[in-house]
Amino acid sequence: MVLPLRALLAGRRRLPRPAAAARAPAAAARLCSGEAEAAGGDGAMLQHLARKLRASGPVTVAEYMREALTNPGQGYYTRRGGVGESGDFITSPEISQVFGELIGIWYISEWMAMGKPNTFQLVELGPGRGTLTEDILRVFKQLASVLSKCDVSVHLVEVSPKLSEIQAVMLTGGKVQPNPEDESAYMKGISKTGIPIFWYRDIQDVPPGYSFYLAHEFFDALPIHKFQRTEKGWREVLVDIDPEVPDQLRFVLSPSRTPATQNFIQPEETRDHVEVCPEAGVIVQRLASRIEKDGGAALVADYGHDGTKTDTFRGFRNHKLHDVLSAPGTADLTADVDFSYLRKMAQGKTATLGPIKQREFLKNMGIDLRLQVLLQNSGDTATREQLLHSYDMLMNPEKMGDCFNFFALLPHHRLVHPDKKDKPESKSPLPPVAGFNELLLK
Ligand code: SAH
């Protein structure tokens, strides 16, 4: 039953998407590294932080980041949202619908490889504008004949009221019910394709069950701790108010070790500067436990490294780098994901695959075939140019191709046959995991 995937990849037409497939070239993606530039425009969040710092002293970078991004009143995601051409940064699903389509195919391919369970939840962490889920649901609709006996539901984990509203419009046309009774969800609705969708603030609220998890540019938005090696040993980087300049923030080092320094720096660490995101660790632990218990898989896509990089904390505003300490709450703050840490935090409960580069993952998923077919069938030059431009953004090693990575959590039995003594007849090889290997079309 892999034929429908081929049919989808080689489909003559683009699957209809309400908005244009590729966006303005002016919109910049957040790439892996760069120099921050200063920007002005302080506001309410700065006043709030300055008061707090004056009253109780410096805070960790993690606490600063949490306040700046998700403070319920003034946080960046709470108020501004930021994703998209008109926001502060653009992401792969916003650049091309092909991206989400290939991810939709990945889930179907895994669902088939895992024996087509009769129900699954698609759980997206940090869905932004809802574009990726929208593209995936279009693929599910296109493959309705394959999924006909499967009960699918969508579960979105989103802290931002502003973004959840945008998601509701994108996915349901705005027909949602806030605060549904008897649910841990804060909102629910039905997708334009007829699939129930629920919204939560925390992964813990999502009901248990066989689930496919998705986290695209989510982990990089979670708060990090920063540590610096000094002659006196490891110190934590803190954020403080500058006593010389009113309402200006600055970095300082903790005078002694902090609890985080003791917990998160490994004795064998060789770098001089280290960033750790404990919240990402906790979430990966939860995902791994849930997959171990209830089945499914998780796909994580983000920029990041494998425990090698040092100072990657940076800000984005209006598609430009922005000083992380300037005008908090008005800019996106982000740090590269440490995939070696995520792998460690899965604690062997699941197998892990990757990280592999975005361009390799998408190539394995058949992006070249998809592009060729779309190019052959697009009549006008503008559309062809748009298709080529968005392909280049996603695949070019200098753009998003090399610095974005794919990483997966999968049940052990998906990669290694369970004890063959129990099942001597099951000698057939396990199907390779698409994306990390070539998608099987035959
Ligand atoms: N996945 C989207 C958006 C990435 S931006 C895309 O690729 O286009 C980060 C997303 O994570 C936003 O939706 C933001 O509101 C959400 N987010 C940030 N911190 C969060 C948290 N602690 N819990 C849940 N969602 C969070």
Side-chain angles (χ1 to χ4, degrees):
M1 269 311 273
V2 279
L3 265 178
L5 300 186
R6 172 187 273 283
L8 203 104
L9 274 179
R12 290 175 63 77
R13 286 186 308 115
R14 299 163 85 166
L15 305 184
R17 188 196 210 189
R23 306 304 157 95
R30 303 180 296 179
L31 299 180
C32 294
S33 52
E35 303 270 316
E37 67 173 33
D42 301 353
M45 169 61 74
L46 180 60
Q47 304 305 326
H48 159 74
L49 279 167
R51 267 197 304 276
K52 183 169 167 167
L53 295 172
R54 275 193 208 99
S56 47
V59 293
T60 61
V61 172
E63 193 170 346
Y64 170 73
M65 212 173 154
R66 188 173 296 112
E67 283 280 354
L69 291 182
T70 55
N71 174 294
Q74 297 296 329
Y76 170 78
Y77 283 117
T78 322
R79 269 186 341 132
R80 198 163 149 119
V83 194
E85 195 194 326
S86 60
D88 297 300
F89 60 94
I90 188 116
T91 58
S92 296
E94 301 292 331
I95 288 168
S96 168
Q97 70 180 79
V98 173
F99 185 83
E101 289 168 5
L102 296 178
I103 291 190
I105 292 176
W106 190 85
Y107 286 114
I108 299 284
S109 144
E110 276 310 294
W111 173 77
M112 294 199 296
M114 292 188 199
K116 300 187 196 163
N118 55 15
T119 174
F120 73 79
Q121 310 187 131
L122 175 68
V123 183
E124 186 176 3
L125 308 178
R129 302 173 56 79
T131 312
L132 186 48
T133 292
E134 162 98 339
D135 292 341
I136 292 171
L137 290 186
R138 226 183 18 258
V139 167
F140 288 1
K141 183 170 177 224
Q142 201 81 5
L143 292 173
S145 58
V146 181
L147 282 170
S148 62
K149 294 200 183 89
C150 185
D151 190 6
V152 181
S153 54
V154 171
H155 304 261
L156 304 177
V157 179
E158 176 58 74
V159 280
S160 162
K162 178 161 179 160
L163 284 172
S164 60
E165 249 175 58
I166 295 175
Q167 292 151 18
V169 172
M170 169 82 82
L171 296 167
T172 71
K175 290 185 211 116
V176 283
Q177 180 191 344
N179 304 313
E181 280 168 25
D182 332 316
E183 307 268 7
S184 48
Y186 64 81
M187 189 162 78
K188 72 175 180 185
I190 304 278
S191 82
K192 292 175 201 158
T193 58
I195 289 177
I197 311 190
F198 303 84
W199 277 262
Y200 313 82
R201 286 188 187 87
D202 197 297
I203 179 75
Q204 300 218 81
D205 299 331
V206 177
Y210 193 102
S211 301
F212 288 120
Y213 300 92
L214 173 60
H216 183 261
E217 290 215 32
F218 169 73
F219 284 107
D220 68 271
L222 299 181
I224 51 154
H225 287 268
K226 281 172 87 68
F227 305 99
Q228 178 69 43
R229 191 195 295 275
T230 73
E231 283 169 1
K232 294 183 204 139
W234 284 98
R235 295 291 181 262
E236 182 158 8
V237 179
L238 304 174
V239 175
D240 197 6
I241 195 95
D242 189 333
E244 310 283 317
V245 192
D247 287 349
Q248 185 155 315
L249 303 176
R250 61 169 186 168
F251 287 121
V252 293
L253 287 183
S254 62
S256 54
R257 288 164 73 89
T258 60
T261 331
Q262 269 143 21
N263 288 334
F264 297 120
I265 299 290
Q266 303 304 315
E268 64 275 15
E269 181 58 62
T270 54
R271 289 169 290 175
D272 286 338
H273 190 98
V274 171
E275 294 170 343
V276 182
C277 182
E279 218 169 288
V282 169
I283 292 174
V284 164
Q285 273 176 4
R286 292 205 173 115
L287 296 182
S289 300
R290 291 170 73 114
I291 292 169
E292 183 184 39
K293 194 159 160 282
D294 302 322
L299 193 59
V300 174
D302 225 310
Y303 38 73
H305 58 93
D306 223 358
T308 50
K309 282 201 180 177
T310 55
D311 182 10
T312 71
F313 185 35
R314 59 207 190 282
F316 285 89
R317 193 163 85 170
N318 295 328
H319 304 277
K320 289 204 182 103
L321 278 162
H322 174 90
D323 179 350
V324 288
L325 295 184
S326 172
T330 70
D332 179 40
L333 299 179
T334 168
D336 282 20
V337 173
D338 179 350
F339 288 100
S340 69
Y341 181 65
L342 300 194
R343 195 182 300 116
K344 196 166 111 197
M345 297 313 279
Q347 294 175 320
K349 288 180 181 153
T350 60
T352 62
L353 284 180
I356 70 163
K357 294 180 192 318
Q358 171 157 306
R359 69 186 158 88
E360 289 169 30
F361 181 90
L362 296 179
K363 208 172 197 51
N364 284 337
M365 289 304 302
I367 193 171
D368 290 333
L369 170 61
R370 187 84 188 112
L371 176 74
Q372 271 169 28
V373 174
L374 292 176
L375 283 174
Q376 275 160 20
N377 293 290
S378 62
D380 63 297
T381 320
T383 310
R384 290 167 63 88
E385 272 172 13
Q386 219 179 32
L387 285 167
L388 288 168
H389 170 75
S390 56
Y391 176 91
D392 184 58
M393 279 291 283
L394 296 183
M395 298 291 284
N396 188 329
E398 313 262 287
K399 295 179 181 166
M400 300 168 99
D402 262 9
C403 70
F404 280 82
N405 299 274
F406 279 76
F407 176 79
L409 303 179
L410 293 151
H412 289 291
H413 62 77
R414 174 66 184 87
L415 300 185
V416 181
H417 267 302
D419 194 354
K420 283 192 186 163
K421 276 187 208 137
D422 298 339
K423 269 185 151 191
E425 75 283 7
S426 79
K427 289 263 161 54
S428 59
L430 290 162
V433 178
F436 299 87
N437 302 275
E438 255 182 62
L439 177 68
L440 280 186
L441 291 170
K442 291 186 199 128

